[in-house]
Amino acid sequence: MLRFENVTKRYPDGTVAVDDLSFEVAEGELVTLVGPSGCGKTTTMKMVNRLIDPSSGTIRLEGEDISTVDPVKLRRRIGYVIQQVGLFPHKTVLDNTATVPHLLGWQRGKARERAAELLDLVGLDPSVHGSRYPDQLSGGQRQRVGVARALAADPPVLLMDEPFGAVDPVVREHLQNEFLKLQATVRKTVLFVTHDMEEAVRLGDRIAVYGEGRIEQFDRPQTVLGAPASDYVAEFVGADRGLKRLSVTAIEESDLEQPPVVHLADGLDQAHRRMREQGARWAVVLDDQDGLHGWIPADGSAPEDAHVSTQARRMEAWLPLGSSLKQAFSVMLQHDAGWIAVLDEDDRFRGVLTPSRLHQALRRSIDADSQDIAREEVTLQTVAG
Ligand code: ADP
Ligand code: MG
């Protein structure tokens, strides 16, 4: 979809900002470019929409050499979001969002309709925020408008240069999560620049770790964290890469433990018997829709004919399947819980995650990567022989 072929950028003063760069981004893929300040990330981006032209090499968009495409026409196919957003201060949020459809000659009504749709998509209510001016918004809201505006003409490619860099960490995490949800529906081909490793691994399908003007490693986040390609990468991802791994490893069904399950309407006697049979000290309690209610301890005496509902306790520590191990860990800490419930997308109970299972899941992801590496070595040997 987007392809760099031996691209070099040498600025007039002799600085080589990008040095013989080759890589490809697949359609619908989100690639993060991560590296320290001054390593050539912004230069890479600006060559895609021809704000800067390469000194040598070729960039192709959908197979076409972009140096042969009129820059104005090219930029209509590429949404661009930057940190300073660049909203027009004298225009309302709605008109700012409608900028590109406007330039494309859409009818005013249609352009504004599209803008309202997009504001809604990025979590801003067009009837509330649409008529405001940029300086009446928070930093996070302005970034959302920036994203909405970049998407307004429905370009296949999105360039994002540290778009969430200027907002505080809590808002940033919120924007990142919203952006991931948005990307799951719009499936753009995205190049996303950041100097924050945490952000790179959270967002990227693959990440490109930049050294000076070069890519040091280009791979899935798990692999970059689990098997850094060089000392430079290992140093950049940091000594806490084990912790960062928690945020890119998802809870799977096979990670879950299956304690006894009882229902609110079950007899207490029967519930106690089931726990004894399974040697369990507690059971998960579900409501009559199989939704999570809480738990019940195995001990405790019960009046005759009592139901589970009389002794069940509420349980708030739960997560959907597919959440990261980091989220699981943080929910455990937050609720001071020895286990958390895991539900599927229909809110049905699927099992529980315990600290030992969490550790096992982390091992699983490391083992999977070392197998990948072993396989690569085998292939190399075969080729050499
Ligand atoms: P990043 O976005 O990773 O911080 P940049 O792509 O902005 O890095 O810059 C890469 C290198 O090119 C830096 O050394 C920077 O000083 C240099 N550079 C950027 N723009 C210019 C320019 N217009 N003229 C000369 N050098 C530049
Ligand atoms: Mg930059």
Side-chain angles (χ1 to χ4, degrees), residues 20-42:
D20 195 27
L21 197 65
S22 298
F23 68 93
E24 189 164 358
V25 185
E27 187 172 348
E29 188 181 29
L30 195 169
V31 168
T32 48
L33 311 182
V34 65
S37 178
C39 67
K41 306 181 296 295
T42 295

Side-chain angles (χ1 to χ4, degrees), residues 120-342:
D120 198 41
L121 197 63
V122 298
L124 292 174
D125 183 346
S127 67
V128 176
H129 301 104
S131 55
R132 292 196 185 161
Y133 290 88
D135 66 1
Q136 296 172 311
L137 300 179
S138 70
Q141 288 170 334
R142 275 200 292 272
Q143 290 307 137
R144 291 197 181 107
V145 178
V147 173
R149 185 179 57 179
L151 287 170
D154 203 17
V157 176
L158 210 50
L159 304 178
M160 306 179 78
D161 195 344
E162 314 229 12
F164 310 141
V167 290
D168 70 68
V170 176
V171 176
R172 188 184 314 155
E173 187 162 345
H174 199 72
L175 288 172
Q176 287 166 350
N177 290 338
E178 280 180 1
F179 181 65
L180 277 179
K181 260 189 232 154
L182 183 66
Q183 167 66 357
T185 53
V186 298
R187 285 260 151 243
K188 301 293 178 191
T189 302
V190 186
L191 263 191
F192 188 110
V193 161
T194 177
H195 60 264
D196 175 7
M197 193 62 194
E198 195 89 34
E199 180 165 78
V201 300
R202 181 172 302 145
L203 296 183
D205 296 314
R206 287 189 297 164
I207 69 185
V209 183
Y210 269 59
E212 265 181 34
R214 294 172 164 274
I215 293 178
E216 298 280 332
Q217 187 168 15
F218 189 33
D219 217 319
R220 294 179 312 139
Q222 298 92 308
T223 310
V224 173
L225 293 175
S230 65
D231 290 347
Y232 171 85
V233 176
E235 175 142 351
F236 187 73
V237 302
D240 62 342
R241 65 193 167 91
L243 272 180
K244 293 196 181 89
R245 248 187 123 81
L246 283 172
S247 62
V248 294
T249 308
I251 303 172
E252 292 178 5
E253 188 113 39
S254 60
D255 298 326
L256 305 181
E257 240 171 71
Q258 300 299 336
V261 172
V262 299
H263 285 81
L264 279 171
D266 290 349
L268 202 48
D269 256 3
Q270 178 200 346
H272 280 154
R273 198 170 338 112
R274 180 121 32 99
M275 288 183 259
R276 268 199 307 279
E277 278 166 15
Q278 296 192 32
R281 283 178 298 142
W282 51 274
V284 167
V285 178
L286 303 183
D287 61 26
D288 52 7
Q289 257 109 70
D290 281 342
L292 179 70
H293 176 86
W295 65 287
I296 184 170
D299 46 18
S301 59
E304 205 132 323
D305 295 339
H307 290 125
V308 165
S309 57
T310 59
Q311 290 193 3
R313 302 168 192 196
R314 293 297 294 201
M315 173 73 179
E316 307 287 344
W318 64 272
L319 271 178
L321 204 59
S323 304
S324 69
L325 298 181
K326 183 179 173 189
Q327 285 169 304
F329 193 41
S330 123
V331 169
M332 264 179 210
L333 291 177
Q334 185 191 335
H335 292 269
D336 193 18
W339 57 274
I340 57 174
V342 177

Side-chain angles (χ1 to χ4, degrees), residues 47-50 59-61 64-69 74:
M47 289 192 290
V48 177
N49 58 12
R50 295 200 59 191
I59 301 171
R60 293 181 190 280
L61 185 60
E64 195 177 12
D65 178 349
I66 62 165
S67 70
T68 66
V69 182
L74 178 71

